[in-house]
Amino acid sequence: MVVAIRLFNSHFCVYTVYFILQKTFLAFLFILVTCVTISDAFCLFEPLTAGKPGEEILGCIDSKGTLHQFGSHWRAENCLDCSCGKDGTSCCSSYATPVDFDEEKCESIFDKQTCSYKVVEKADHKKECPVFTWVG
């Protein structure tokens, strides 16, 4: 009787440890997949360029020639979120791109007003299509 109880307890412990390791591995895998998906955005960096000798640098100048103060943030017309730092201008994509959907039946349309994609049926743009993976 004592041997049977010990055998049951040892098997229970083995299965409990196996169960915990399995759940821990699945949680790690989920976090890894999430981080890879989130970190797939593209970014650009434009270092500050020195002006004329003795001239004070007041901030960053964007592609349209607009001066942005250090520490400021703005959205560029090409849907990049930008910031001005002492090193220069940093811009990253502000939108996710659909990459896994039925391309035969559906198409992705980019809206420059909202800086986002919408995936709709080719035959009827009022009907949205499911997207299984977004990048960015």
Side-chain angles (χ1 to χ4, degrees):
M1 185 65 80
V2 173
V3 175
I5 292 173
R6 278 197 182 152
L7 184 61
F8 173 75
N9 284 340
S10 72
H11 283 293
F12 179 72
C13 290
V14 169
Y15 286 123
T16 303
V17 169
Y18 175 74
F19 179 77
I20 291 170
L21 286 175
Q22 184 182 22
K23 294 302 177 189
T24 303
F25 177 73
L26 288 174
F28 170 76
L29 207 58
F30 175 76
I31 291 169
L32 181 66
V33 168
T34 303
C35 289
V36 168
T37 302
I38 291 172
S39 67
D40 217 4
F42 72 87
C43 294
L44 309 166
F45 180 75
E46 179 73 34
L48 283 178
T49 54
K52 297 176 186 171
E55 187 176 76
E56 183 181 3
I57 299 175
L58 302 173
C60 306
I61 299 175
D62 65 18
S63 60
K64 295 167 92 178
T66 304
L67 176 67
H68 299 274
Q69 294 180 343
F70 292 120
S72 64
H73 301 272
W74 69 95
R75 178 164 284 175
E77 73 177 36
N78 58 355
C79 293
L80 296 179
D81 287 332
C82 301
S83 62
C84 177
K86 296 285 184 183
D87 298 346
T89 304
S90 176
C91 296
C92 293
S93 59
S94 63
Y95 54 88
T97 304
V99 293
D100 186 10
F101 60 92
D102 184 353
E103 293 186 40
E104 288 182 26
K105 181 181 171 187
C106 306
E107 64 183 333
S108 64
I109 299 172
F110 189 73
D111 181 354
K112 279 191 140 187
Q113 296 291 345
T114 62
C115 294
S116 63
Y117 278 97
K118 192 173 191 177
V119 180
V120 295
E121 289 185 6
K122 291 178 181 178
D124 184 359
H125 283 192
K126 293 178 185 172
K127 293 183 181 176
E128 289 193 34
C129 296
V131 178
F132 304 104
T133 306
W134 295 82
V135 176

